[in-house]
Amino acid sequence: MIPALMPTYNRADLAFVRGEGAVLWTEDGRRFLDFGGGIATSSLGHGHPHLVKAIADQAAKVIHVSNLYRIPQAETLAARHVANSFADSVFFCNSGAEANEGMVKAVRRYHWANGRPERWRMICFEGAFHGRTLAMISATGNPKYLEGFGPPVDGFDHVPFGDMNAVRAAIGKETAGIMVEPVQGEGGVRPASLRFLRELRAACDEYGLLLALDEVQTGMGRSGRLWAHEWAGIEPDVMSAAKGIGGGFPLGAVFAKEHVAKHLKPGTHGTTYGGSPLACAAGNAVLDVILSHGFLPRVDRVARHLWRALLDLQARHPEVIEEVRGAGLLLGLKLREGIANTAAQDAAAAEGLLTVAAGQNVLRLAPPLIITEEEADEAVHLLGRVCLRLHPSSAQRAAK
Ligand SMILES: *Cc1c(COP(=O)(O)O)cnc(C)c1O
């Protein structure tokens, strides 16, 4: 018989009942170091006192009122994001896919309002992931996510990631913008080069297109800067955010420059839950911590420490690890052919380490941003044991 909880996931047989920082415990008391971070979402880790208190205090006052009324928590959160990003205005919603839908609507509306309604197509990239709604599985373009769900939603043209010639060749009369992740997360923790991001910005400027960044996974400090595109020294016209911005509370956002945002007039776009007092209280609490003095430089330091330790791990286990890649605390171990990332994920769990599989046979690490260097070392130590499990000949060599 079908489970009451619809079986759309391959879940590990683990149920966590408590968390503190980067550690989770199961009911029977087993301890796990969480380097999956709830898929790059638990940015402050588990049970962060400031976030817990903000949510509890706000829940006791008022949880939801709808967007028929002013929401001071949302006004504050938007103003703070505007003060700390390229954006002039922010729209709140509830998930990454919903933020991307809003972002694409904003891009199309911009051209429509500027008398170019024929510009409505987005250039997207092979290996992308933009979410699971009908339009976003098309933007994602992966046949695995499209199969059985009818004709793909039109308006998304895919080119190879990092290939500027292909981008230029794909620009046509109907092109409205370019949609890209600064680091492809689900697709295999593949960073765009900073040069590629700058060239995309230049191409958008040249052809009057909008640059739409999907920072759902890379944003909110994960790269060591608040937004990953800051490393490239560019600004998008519009950007989506979710995952880490609520620290685990569902919160998504569309960030936009004024020239885009001004066309989303009252009645053009909306969502019932979006930007509720409770969600924005969570968002403000996360921002308090991430903007606090020294927090992001610390993320950058710990990330570099982890990166070096992973390179060292790779040098010790070249039969298992082909490449270390990523940015900040979004890192991936590309595994050798024949060693499945799902097997590595299971082996890591058996060692007490939580990770997330990603595309291209990559084992992804996206720990909470609050991890210490000691926790990074512990994770790499456990990954060393995983390598021995996966490739016994590494064990023999280590014994010699
Ligand atoms: C997770 C993710 C999404 C989808 O977010 P949901 O909250 O699951 O809808 C979109 N884009 C990127 C880059 C993501 O990593």
Side-chain angles (χ1 to χ4, degrees), residues 63-81:
I63 292 175
H64 170 86
V65 295
S66 90
N67 288 301
L68 297 173
Y69 310 101
R70 281 187 46 218
I71 300 178
Q73 296 83 355
E75 291 169 6
T76 303
L77 182 59
R80 297 175 75 196
H81 272 306

Side-chain angles (χ1 to χ4, degrees), residues 95-98 100 129-132 181 186 214 216-217 242-243:
S95 72
E98 193 187 1
N100 281 331
F129 183 78
H130 298 302
R132 299 288 202 144
E181 300 155 83
E186 304 297 316
D214 180 344
V216 168
Q217 189 152 165
K243 292 202 165 91

Side-chain angles (χ1 to χ4, degrees), residues 232-256:
I234 57 154
E235 291 188 341
D237 299 284
V238 57
M239 174 183 88
S240 59
K243 292 202 165 91
I245 67 171
F249 195 94
L251 178 64
V254 181
F255 287 56

